[in-house]
Amino acid sequence: MKNLLSLLDQIKVLRCRAAEDLPHLCRIGSECISHVRAAKAQKITLIEHRSRRYALLSIGSGGKARFARPVREDLFVWDPKEIGLLLTNVSAGLWNPANSSNLERLVYTLQQGVAMYLDLFHPAAARKVVGTFFEALVASSLNRVCGLCIGSGTVRVPDVNETIMTDLGLLQDDRVVLLVATKTSTRERLSQPFVQKKILEQAFPDPPKSILIVVGDVQRIGVAAVQHTFTAGQFLLYWKYLTPLDGVFYIDVPPQAETAAFQNRLKPLSQLFSSDLELLLKS
């Protein structure tokens, strides 16, 4: 039945939460990339922010032109054989932290491949559906790295009989020990994970830890430029006056991460896969 569904419908109904779902996600992502390649989209290469190279694709012309979101060329993989090799590398045997960079690159490629496909062929659905795919990718990857069951990040606050709803929750002995907010970018609702963590700290003596995982904060400007949209000042305000998160991980890390104010506050996703996830679950 799944083969009869359109790519858009397959993404809408995703319920992937385990490492064994990675091949299915890889197939969807690779198919999306194949559609983009077949469309012979025009490719514009951009250089922005410390020589990072971004590719911007478009189809059509004039007022009918459609643009895909920028992708970093050193992280994105176009070759389907190379994508398959990355999947094999991160899926074989017991998890090896040495494969963390490959898993990060696979996640970025599949996520941005789906995002570009939606931008070009289903732009009205892209904004909502792209987050669904990223959540599935992150859940399956986390299960691969730590082996814990990945469920919804729903925590009930008994005093007010209400719930905090985060995208994902890692379960240990049927208890949520780590909450994971997933965002394709932080242009909207950056405050949400900070506010939720603050509430949990007030409501529970031993609340679960909370982290944020983001694809990147890069936005197209017109047809020949990009900009980073990370709101550094707001982030620091939330960090200081609400509460610090237990980790913030980006695939395309904002340039601000290189400044003193953000030292050890913005980390690459590969670091979560290689060491930080284990440390978070132990402490």
Side-chain angles (χ1 to χ4, degrees):
M1 179 62 183
K2 285 185 178 180
N3 292 333
L4 301 178
L5 297 175
S6 69
L7 278 172
L8 177 60
D9 289 332
Q10 288 183 56
I11 297 167
K12 284 181 178 179
V13 299
L14 280 176
R15 293 294 181 270
C16 298
R17 289 290 186 270
E20 53 262 33
D21 294 317
L22 280 172
H24 175 57
L25 296 171
C26 190
R27 184 188 60 76
I28 293 176
S30 297
E31 193 172 340
C32 286
I33 294 170
S34 295
H35 276 276
V36 173
R37 288 169 62 96
K40 297 181 179 180
Q42 180 183 0
K43 181 179 179 182
I44 307 167
T45 300
L46 312 171
I47 300 177
E48 186 78 11
H49 289 297
R50 295 171 177 86
S51 299
R52 299 180 187 187
R53 295 177 64 87
Y54 291 91
L56 178 65
L57 276 69
S58 67
I59 58 174
S61 60
K64 295 183 178 180
R66 288 182 179 175
F67 291 86
R69 64 199 65 196
V71 295
R72 257 181 70 169
E73 291 195 316
D74 60 324
L75 292 173
F76 190 83
V77 178
W78 283 102
D79 186 348
K81 290 184 179 179
E82 189 176 349
I83 296 172
L85 289 174
L86 284 175
L87 177 64
T88 299
N89 176 273
V90 302
S91 301
L94 297 176
W95 172 247
N96 183 351
N99 292 331
S100 296
S101 293
N102 287 329
L103 181 55
E104 178 186 59
R105 197 173 183 206
L106 180 66
V107 170
Y108 184 79
T109 295
L110 300 179
Q111 174 63 28
Q112 296 298 78
V114 165
M116 286 193 296
Y117 168 79
L118 293 171
D119 289 341
L120 295 175
F121 301 108
H122 299 283
R127 188 172 183 178
K128 292 183 178 180
V129 180
V130 73
T132 299
F133 192 77
F134 187 51
E135 183 180 316
L137 271 175
V138 170
S140 301
S141 298
L142 291 175
N143 178 252
R144 172 63 179 137
V145 172
C146 71
L148 292 183
C149 180
I150 314 295
S152 66
T154 301
V155 179
R156 180 165 293 279
V157 181
D159 289 350
V160 292
N161 196 30
E162 293 292 341
T163 57
I164 297 291
M165 299 182 66
T166 309
D167 297 308
L168 302 171
L170 277 66
L171 302 174
Q172 207 165 43
D173 299 325
D174 295 325
R175 176 177 175 264
V176 176
V177 293
L178 180 66
L179 293 171
V180 182
T182 61
K183 295 186 179 298
T184 57
S185 75
T186 62
R187 288 193 296 274
E188 296 180 0
R189 297 184 296 161
L190 173 60
S191 63
Q192 185 181 42
F194 292 93
V195 171
Q196 290 180 334
K197 184 171 188 281
K198 182 68 173 180
I199 292 172
L200 292 173
E201 288 174 341
Q202 297 292 319
F204 297 97
D206 184 24
K209 293 181 172 62
S210 298
I211 65 173
L212 171 63
I213 298 178
V214 188
V215 177
D217 287 322
V218 180
Q219 187 178 53
R220 174 178 63 88
I221 305 177
V223 298
V226 300
Q227 66 178 355
H228 280 79
T229 58
F230 175 68
T231 53
Q234 293 298 306
F235 182 97
L236 291 175
L237 285 173
Y238 301 148
W239 190 279
K240 181 174 181 178
Y241 293 105
L242 287 176
T243 186
L245 296 178
D246 296 293
V248 180
F249 301 92
Y250 273 80
I251 302 179
D252 187 3
V253 183
Q256 288 89 339
E258 300 172 12
T259 65
F262 285 89
Q263 188 173 11
N264 295 321
R265 292 181 180 176
L266 303 177
K267 302 177 183 179
L269 181 59
S270 57
Q271 186 168 327
L272 178 67
F273 295 152
S274 64
S275 60
D276 282 19
L277 183 58
E278 182 179 4
L279 294 173
L280 285 166
L281 296 174
K282 281 184 176 179
S283 58

